[in-house]
């Protein structure tokens, strides 16, 4: 796929609660991210959000000639914001972490923008772990991204944490994602 004249990679993720939790607080989110094929920056980000009674759409367009990101939320465009070179959206930032060589207890930083603001995203290797998933068993690095600048259900839940399990060998594929939130 080509976005703004650049060849793109596409990453997608869906998040949903279990049938039991649905009765309390139903989550059905879809995230799609387009990044430059060489993984140097984000090109476009879309989020379809259904969390409890909140339903909404977000679309972020990155303009690298102008060095900006522009958020359109529920059809309403916001003023573009300045973003530094190498900025990723919230989903592609997880995949951009794969560019780093993971070491135990090492923290990594990367500029991240949701179109509303730009922050330095941090991810820390908290441990190594062998994990069993439907795709098989893997030796992994467990990464904990910093959550203070994340919106949605994480912002509403003090102490919310998310962990991502990446394979210890290249291409450092994320094989499991788990979060803890209070609703």
């Amino acid at each position: 796929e080509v976005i703004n004249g650049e060849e793109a990679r596409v990453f997608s993720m869906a998040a949903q609660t279990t049938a039991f939790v649905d009765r309390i607080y139903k989550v059905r989110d879809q995230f799609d991210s387009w990044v430059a094929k060489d993984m140097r920056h984000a090109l476009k980000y879309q989020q379809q959000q259904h969390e409890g009674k909140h339903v909404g759409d977000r679309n972020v367009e990155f303009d690298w000639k102008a060095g900006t990101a522009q958020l359109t939320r529920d059809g309403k465009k916001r003023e573009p914001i300045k973003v530094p070179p190498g900025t990723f959206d919230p989903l592609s930032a997880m995949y951009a972490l794969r560019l780093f060589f993971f070491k135990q207890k090492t923290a990594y930083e990367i500029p991240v923008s949701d179109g509303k603001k730009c922050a330095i995203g941090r991810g820390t290797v908290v441990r190594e772990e062998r994990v069993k998933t439907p795709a098989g068993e893997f030796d992994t690095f467990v990464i904990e991204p910093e959550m203070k600048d994340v919106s949605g259900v994480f912002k509403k839940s003090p102490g919310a944490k998310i962990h991502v399990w990446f394979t210890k060998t290249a291409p450092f594929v994320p094989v499991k994602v788990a979060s803890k939130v209070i609703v």
Side-chain angles (χ1 to χ4, degrees):
E1 194 166 338
V2 176
I3 304 288
N4 296 332
E6 287 193 65
E7 222 175 311
R9 294 177 189 264
V10 181
F11 299 107
S12 295
M13 182 176 81
Q16 68 182 52
T17 48
T18 63
F20 174 76
V21 177
D22 279 351
R23 292 182 273 173
I24 302 164
Y25 191 83
K26 185 177 183 176
V27 173
R28 296 290 185 276
D29 292 348
Q30 176 67 39
F31 307 88
D32 298 293
S33 174
W34 292 259
V35 298
K37 191 171 183 177
D38 62 3
M39 293 296 294
R40 73 180 177 281
H41 54 231
L43 300 171
K44 182 179 176 180
Y45 176 68
Q46 290 180 334
Q47 178 182 343
Q48 296 169 336
Q49 194 175 25
H50 181 180
E51 296 175 0
K53 293 180 181 178
H54 173 77
V55 177
D57 293 325
R58 290 176 178 230
N59 182 33
V60 180
E61 299 281 342
F62 291 87
D63 179 343
W64 291 108
K65 289 179 184 167
T68 62
Q70 184 173 33
L71 170 65
T72 302
R73 187 172 182 170
D74 300 324
K76 296 177 185 158
K77 282 191 177 196
R78 298 184 93 157
E79 284 294 315
I81 62 165
K82 287 285 188 188
V83 292
T87 298
F88 290 86
D89 60 72
L91 176 59
S92 65
M94 180 175 70
Y95 288 91
L97 279 174
R98 298 179 328 156
L99 302 174
F100 296 102
F101 177 75
F102 297 122
K103 294 181 182 175
Q104 185 95 21
K105 302 291 183 190
T106 301
Y108 300 97
E109 295 183 344
I110 192 167
V112 180
S113 179
D114 61 0
K116 188 175 178 181
K117 61 186 164 200
C118 188
I120 298 298
R122 291 175 180 81
T124 303
V125 177
V126 293
R127 67 183 177 276
E128 295 179 27
E129 183 178 317
R130 182 144 183 94
V131 65
K132 187 175 183 177
T133 72
E137 281 193 45
F138 303 93
D139 290 320
T140 65
F141 290 112
V142 182
I143 309 297
E144 184 177 303
E146 191 174 276
M147 300 305 297
K148 71 177 186 169
D149 292 316
V150 176
S151 61
V153 70
F154 294 102
K155 190 173 190 173
K156 299 172 193 167
S157 181
K161 289 188 178 187
I162 188 167
H163 289 105
V164 183
W165 285 255
F166 286 90
T167 57
K168 286 177 73 175
T169 55
F172 307 109
V173 178
V175 294
K176 180 178 175 182
V177 178
S179 65
K180 181 178 181 180
V181 295
I182 299 168
V183 292

